[in-house]
Amino acid sequence: MIRPRFVQAAVLMMATLSSAAPAQAAPTSPVLMLAQASPETRIREAAGRLAAYRKLLEGQDANLRLAALSEMLTSPDAAVRELAFKLGFASAESEMRSLSLRQRLINAKLIVLELEREGSISQQQWEKSIAPYGGAKISLASFSLDPVTGEMKSGSTQIGRLAGEEIDIRIPNGAVGKMRLGPNATMVGRLSYNAEISHPVRLVLQ
């Protein structure tokens, strides 16, 4: 069938315009734009995020501070997490310190209790006193903390409970103790074995 001349002309014009029009570039995603940004740009953006979080933690609203800390402690960004732990442990607020302590223990796979030498006992007395523990450092592997109940385990063995800033602990050899969050992100307390041997003990969390 022969097309009318005006139809043929319209078809020819559309084909010409289509071939001449430039191709439209696909929109660039924010993730791709960030990946393509210069190192300096990425560093400045990261620094801006840290400054914004720090401002929230130093604000006047206690609920906002706690919410910001909770989000920061579980951030996929390691720098954000470490800033949260640093400011959380240094906070004057018990809720902030307790939240930081709980999350640090949730993240832990191994905790090491360190017995401390007390007084002027001889080396022989010291070695005898730590013999029930196998040494001055007590490693509790496969550590886990139930975030709801506060129950702590080493493998399948219950070894204590976290409540606020305090830990009641019972290690596998039967020694028991109580520890409390002190300065510099360190748990401090005493550990007693058979009610006869007692040592200062600490757990460094950072």
Side-chain angles (χ1 to χ4, degrees):
M1 183 177 71
I2 301 176
R3 297 180 179 180
R5 289 183 179 179
F6 73 89
V7 174
Q8 292 178 344
V11 171
L12 180 60
M13 181 178 292
M14 290 177 64
T16 302
L17 290 173
S18 176
S19 63
Q24 295 294 321
T28 305
S29 71
V31 174
L32 183 58
M33 290 176 64
L34 181 60
Q36 293 175 341
S38 68
E40 181 179 354
T41 298
R42 293 197 299 271
I43 290 170
R44 290 185 180 280
E45 289 178 351
R49 287 195 299 274
L50 292 178
Y53 275 125
R54 184 185 287 272
K55 185 176 181 179
L56 287 174
L57 292 182
E58 294 173 350
Q60 297 298 315
D61 189 326
N63 291 328
L64 184 58
R65 290 196 300 271
L66 201 59
L69 180 65
S70 180
E71 178 174 320
M72 292 173 67
L73 289 170
T74 56
S75 169
D77 188 328
V80 172
R81 291 197 305 273
E82 290 310 307
L83 176 63
F85 283 120
K86 178 182 178 180
L87 298 180
F89 281 128
S91 173
E93 299 174 73
S94 178
E95 294 85 356
M96 301 278 276
R97 295 193 303 273
S98 297
L99 184 59
S100 301
L101 172 59
R102 186 185 68 170
Q103 191 60 48
R104 183 63 93 185
L105 291 175
I106 287 173
N107 294 350
K109 302 302 179 186
L110 168 73
I111 64 172
V112 180
L113 305 178
E114 300 180 16
L115 301 175
E116 297 185 320
R117 192 167 177 169
E118 190 174 33
S120 57
I121 63 173
S122 67
Q123 182 64 25
Q124 183 179 6
Q125 290 174 313
W126 166 244
E127 291 177 356
K128 182 179 179 180
S129 71
I130 63 176
Y133 305 101
K137 292 188 177 182
I138 306 162
S139 296
L140 299 170
S142 301
F143 177 82
S144 64
L145 170 71
D146 186 313
V148 177
T149 66
E151 181 180 83
M152 303 187 306
K153 290 184 176 181
S154 177
S156 59
T157 303
Q158 185 174 350
I159 58 169
R161 189 176 298 277
L162 169 69
E165 296 181 52
E166 291 188 345
I167 287 177
D168 286 313
I169 194 161
R170 183 183 189 91
I171 65 174
N173 75 344
V176 296
K178 185 182 288 289
M179 306 178 73
R180 183 172 181 81
L181 183 61
N184 303 317
T186 302
M187 302 290 295
V188 293
R190 294 196 75 85
L191 193 63
S192 301
Y193 178 75
N194 287 341
E196 298 175 358
I197 302 174
S198 178
H199 294 92
V201 63
R202 67 175 186 156
L203 167 62
V204 179
L205 297 163
Q206 285 187 345

